[in-house]
Amino acid sequence: MTKREILRNLIKATNSMFFTITWVKKNGEERTMTVKDGVEKHLVHPKGDGTNNQEHCQNLITLFDVQDGRYKSVNLDTVKSLKCGNKVMWEEK
């Protein structure tokens, strides 16, 4: 399994619970966000209509930033850590 597949599976395993993810942004800045997967309430287009996610980019995943109230794209290739509750699910050294 690749890092991308492992991280996608771990994110799905959170079962739409809040979790914290840390990754390196495109400009080199490290970013930490509290996010949630599976949020559909704020979608511009109904599910299945238009493009609400990054399916064409295999390295990106769209998550809902609960502090900002908007969807954000996270590059799975640059993820440093993934924590859900008190459990560290992924940590890169």
Side-chain angles (χ1 to χ4, degrees), residues 17-75:
M17 291 173 53
F18 295 107
F19 63 95
T20 304
I21 191 165
T22 302
W23 80 102
V24 178
K25 291 172 44 173
K26 193 175 187 176
N27 64 5
E29 177 186 338
E30 191 171 286
R31 174 85 186 263
T32 301
M33 274 192 327
T34 301
V35 295
K36 195 170 183 181
D37 183 40
V39 176
E40 297 179 10
K41 182 177 181 182
H42 305 284
L43 292 176
V44 175
H45 302 286
K47 197 152 180 89
D49 296 340
T51 56
N52 291 313
N53 54 24
Q54 304 287 345
E55 290 176 358
H56 61 283
C57 299
Q58 296 299 314
N59 63 322
L60 299 178
I61 189 165
T62 304
L63 300 168
F64 186 75
D65 181 353
V66 296
Q67 294 168 331
D68 196 19
R70 298 187 305 172
Y71 293 94
K72 304 283 178 76
S73 294
V74 175
N75 186 345

